[in-house]
């Protein structure tokens, strides 16, 4: 199982822009979809991470769940479409989906 792949990480907010929390089923659905497509998924959901960024009037923040998969053939068009779907589903202007090359040892 050695070789170069991509680690794709999705940063999903735990709440919408009005502060309403998403049900655990929303994250389970993402995990099921990614497991079906990529054969496995890792979700860091027990202790949400905190994202912070500069805004016009100060600092914004979100509690986030990080979901990641290893992708052998990075299909950018599919990921772009899936990101757009997640933005609708999680009612966000932007959902961060990022990829980095990794080498399994």
């Amino acid at each position: 199982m050695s070789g170069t792949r991509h680690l794709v990480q999705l940063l999903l907010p735990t709440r919408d822009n009005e502060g309403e929390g998403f049900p655990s089923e929303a994250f389970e659905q993402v995990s099921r979809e990614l497991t079906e497509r990529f054969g496995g998924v890792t979700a860091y959901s027990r202790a949400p991470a905190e994202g912070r960024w500069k805004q016009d009037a100060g600092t914004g923040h979100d509690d986030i769940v990080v979901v990641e998969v290893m992708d052998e053939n990075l299909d950018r068009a599919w990921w772009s479409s899936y990101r757009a779907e997640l933005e609708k589903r999680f009612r966000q202007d932007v959902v961060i989906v990022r990829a980095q090359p990794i080498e399994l040892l």
Side-chain angles (χ1 to χ4, degrees):
M1 194 168 162
S2 64
T4 301
R5 292 173 172 71
H6 285 85
L7 180 67
V8 180
Q9 296 178 315
L10 300 85
L11 309 183
L12 302 175
T14 61
R15 300 183 175 280
D16 66 16
N17 291 331
E18 283 70 48
E20 186 171 331
F22 293 108
S24 61
E25 173 57 31
F27 304 100
E28 280 296 318
Q29 181 179 354
V30 171
S31 290
R32 281 193 309 272
E33 291 166 351
L34 295 174
T35 298
E36 180 67 27
R37 183 167 179 99
F38 298 100
V41 65
T42 301
Y44 301 93
S45 58
R46 295 194 185 263
E50 182 180 21
R52 290 187 175 266
W53 61 93
K54 286 186 177 183
Q55 283 185 316
D56 294 336
T59 303
H61 77 278
D62 271 335
D63 286 336
I64 58 173
V65 170
V66 178
V67 179
E68 60 186 29
V69 298
M70 286 188 289
D71 187 350
E72 290 184 40
N73 305 305
L74 193 62
D75 181 346
R76 285 176 168 79
W78 185 86
W79 281 109
S80 179
S81 175
Y82 192 61
R83 180 184 45 78
E85 169 62 29
L86 292 174
E87 288 168 350
K88 290 178 193 167
R89 202 183 298 176
F90 286 89
R91 300 185 297 278
Q92 299 293 304
D93 294 332
V94 176
V95 167
I96 299 298
V97 177
R98 59 189 181 195
Q100 57 190 6
I102 59 169
E103 182 178 355
L104 298 179
L105 304 174

